[in-house]
Amino acid sequence: MSNSFTRLASATGYDNALRNLTTRYATMSALQENMTSGKKILRSSDDPTGAAQAERANTRIDRIKTEQRALDTQVSAITQAESTLGNANDLLTEFRTLVVQAGDGANSPVERDTIAKQLVGIRDELLTLANKKDSNGMPLFNGLGSTSAPFETSANGIAPDPDYNYNGLPGQTAASTVAIPFTLDGRAAWMDVPQGNGVFSVSLGAANTGKAFTDIGVVTDASLMGAQGTNFTVNFTAPVAPATGATTYTVTNNTTNTTSAAQTYTAGQSIVMGGISMVVRGVPGNGDTLNVNPNATTNRPSIFDVLDRSIRSMYAVGSTTVGANSNDANFNQEQAISLAQIDTSLEKISASRGKAGDLLTRADRITDTQSSNTIQAKTDKSNAEDIDMIAAAADQSNQQTAYQAALKSYASIQKLSLFNYIS
């Protein structure tokens, strides 16, 4: 049987104990630093993978903040545009009320002149609203791009004057997952108002001498209208002695070049032609005509043109100073057309306002989504770099206990020396 002996010097024991003390102290010190900062990653070298995850989360958070700041600016502009359209709706409604008031037979020509001046003021206010800018100096109805004033007036000596032009690019910038447009389509809001009832227009003959006028007409049979068209002329024949004879009329279809048999005219009844009809009122003169024409799809008037036409109707034909009489056929005809086109203008304003409301609703959804994305990014960042304080406190307590034990052990080892036993 052989015995083996290992020689362990006192210096080796001292070195091992000291190294153990240093390691435990360094671990405890690093843990204290982590707890103080609340982070488990203080340097990229602590955890390269975790540091990269935290950096990516930071990048996402910063990008969301930038996108949200831009969205807030866009929301401010569209909110202002929606409010402007609301003001325009109120002004148009006021304009319509005055037009209806002007149609009261009790009003004199002078009173219609006064109403016309009020209508001019409202029109000018509406034009100002159409060119309104946001706080950054951008037109609210800029469309896809325009000059500083999207709408301008010009006069070329050809009726109607003035002309209203849209100086922008019509269209609407598309919204994205993180943004909405800065502006609304000005052409969709303020231009291209369909004439008459939207399908055909009725006008008085230029040489009419009577007092007959019509409403805007309606479509009674779309398929028949498609077959016979909407291009007609109604010709009136009035007796020399109205008390002894009836006024008659014929209808000529200018598309098929056919003329109906003469029929007795009764004021307030509908005249039917093809698939359309219109109500005629008043007393026509001998040889008076009514013209029905299909609406042109191009060169539609702007809302401002509609208002100007209504303002002109307040005056006697050919005058800008003498108000119209209540029994003036042109005034009564233009009344019906003006009210119809003002109603269409109100619908256009309401449609654009609804578009603005849709964009603001979408902005709210984008904000909610961005908030959720921010929370997720912050969670990812926290998971990557934040320390678990409860677990860290427990580790700190364990490390401190171990360090105290190691310190006491080292103090005991220091006392062990053979020199202490040599007498």
Side-chain angles (χ1 to χ4, degrees), residues 128-149:
T128 300
L129 290 179
N131 284 322
K132 191 172 183 179
K133 300 177 181 180
D134 64 14
S135 57
N136 294 316
M138 292 292 294
L140 297 174
F141 303 99
N142 195 38
L144 297 176
S146 73
T147 59
S148 58

Side-chain angles (χ1 to χ4, degrees), residues 306-330:
V306 169
L307 303 186
D308 279 349
R309 179 174 180 172
S310 182
I311 292 168
R312 285 193 297 272
S313 74
M314 297 294 143
Y315 295 97
V317 176
S319 174
T320 58
T321 57
V322 179
N325 287 309
S326 297
N327 62 352
D328 187 329
N330 181 74

Side-chain angles (χ1 to χ4, degrees), residues 50-72:
Q53 291 174 344
E55 187 60 33
R56 285 195 295 271
N58 266 330
T59 301
R60 291 200 301 272
I61 292 170
D62 291 341
R63 185 179 66 247
I64 291 172
K65 287 180 179 178
T66 301
E67 293 169 347
Q68 191 59 41
R69 282 196 297 269
L71 180 63
D72 290 342

Side-chain angles (χ1 to χ4, degrees), residues 217-228:
V218 295
V219 176
T220 57
D221 188 330
S223 60
L224 186 58
M225 181 191 70
Q228 297 197 18

